Amino acid sequence: PSDEELLHHDANGRPLRLRLRCIPLMAADGTLTGYLGVHTDVTQAHLALELSHSQLRLLESVTAGQPLDKTLLDLCQAIEAVATRVRSSLLLLDEAGTRIIGGKAPSLPPSFMQFTSGLRIGEGVGTCGTAMWRREQVLTPAIGEDPAWEGFRHHPHSLGLDACLSMPILDDAGNPLGSFAFYATSGDVFNDSHLGLLKVAVNVARLAIERHRRDEQLT
């Protein structure tokens, strides 16, 4: 009998981890007559383990006082390493919690993030601006049809992206610190796995931002 893991790719090119258990079938006289093989998809288990390791490294970095920019960039890259068919975006708000002052989006061009700088959050200000204003998760399944994206939907459309799922980063008092979002080609891409990853990203980002602001107040 054999037990091994193999790396394959699905029709969309996504990597799949498969566990193959192979058992030889023997006749009464000991002659090999065939094999019984069982494939088990263990992709999610691998991704969960990888994400757990990334969380630990990020939290250690926060505790060690790593610069906020570096931590947030590492966070986006760690989430994208386990997320499928999406690109991430993390926006930061000013101390008043009203205007976007920066962020990270390693898989998006700089121009994509630059147009958000200085925007005041509010109802109907894109997916992320609305999520931060409402202080709740917001899904835009079709950016091309959403009036909240009027005037700047060409930024995601130029990349073939037409859907956004955004979750606000809130402090303990419920005040917005920023947002973490996924962009995709369509709303059909998003599933429970993406929601779980957003929650992880938001929690780590909140700790990093709050630690950074406390350190600034002490200096």
Side-chain angles (χ1 to χ4, degrees):
S2 67
D3 191 340
E4 59 182 320
E5 286 191 10
L6 306 173
L7 177 63
H8 287 270
H9 293 82
D10 66 11
N12 295 314
R14 293 181 303 172
L16 295 175
R17 288 278 185 175
L18 301 177
R19 182 181 182 185
L20 172 61
R21 295 177 64 96
C22 193
I23 303 171
L25 303 177
M26 315 295 291
D29 62 359
T31 304
L32 177 66
T33 61
Y35 294 92
L36 173 63
V38 179
H39 283 95
T40 304
D41 188 345
V42 294
T43 306
Q44 291 304 315
H46 270 272
L47 293 179
L49 181 60
E50 185 178 341
L51 181 60
S52 295
H53 290 162
S54 296
Q55 276 185 270
L56 181 58
R57 290 194 298 269
L58 287 165
L59 292 175
E60 288 175 343
S61 298
V62 172
T63 303
Q66 177 176 270
L68 181 62
D69 278 356
K70 172 63 172 168
T71 300
L72 298 184
L73 177 60
D74 289 347
L75 173 60
C76 289
Q77 292 174 333
I79 293 295
E80 286 190 353
V82 297
T84 57
R85 303 170 63 189
V86 296
R87 304 192 197 191
S88 69
S89 164
L90 193 159
L91 298 179
L92 284 176
L93 293 179
D94 58 13
E95 291 279 353
T98 59
R99 290 185 182 274
I100 299 171
I101 58 172
K104 297 294 178 183
S107 294
L108 298 172
S111 60
F112 192 93
M113 297 296 292
Q114 288 169 357
F115 86 89
T116 65
S117 182
L119 285 179
R120 181 181 290 274
I121 66 171
E123 188 69 32
V125 183
T127 308
C128 293
T130 302
M132 289 184 281
W133 176 258
R134 294 181 184 176
R135 305 182 186 187
E136 64 181 28
Q137 171 189 307
V138 173
L139 167 65
T140 301
I143 290 175
E145 301 173 7
D146 194 327
W149 278 88
E150 186 67 36
F152 44 83
R153 60 171 56 94
H154 60 280
H155 290 285
H157 280 178
S158 67
L159 302 172
L161 305 173
D162 191 46
C164 182
L165 176 61
S166 181
M167 188 174 291
I169 304 167
L170 305 176
D171 63 17
D172 291 335
N175 300 310
L177 302 171
S179 67
F180 199 101
F182 286 140
Y183 288 89
T185 55
S186 73
D188 295 336
V189 169
F190 301 127
N191 54 38
D192 290 342
S193 174
H194 293 106
L195 287 175
L197 290 172
L198 277 181
K199 291 177 182 178
V200 170
V202 163
N203 287 334
V204 174
R206 176 180 60 82
L207 292 172
I209 296 169
E210 290 183 333
R211 170 63 186 263
H212 172 73
R213 290 188 175 182
R214 285 196 299 268
D215 289 347
E216 283 196 330
Q217 291 173 355
L218 293 174
T219 57

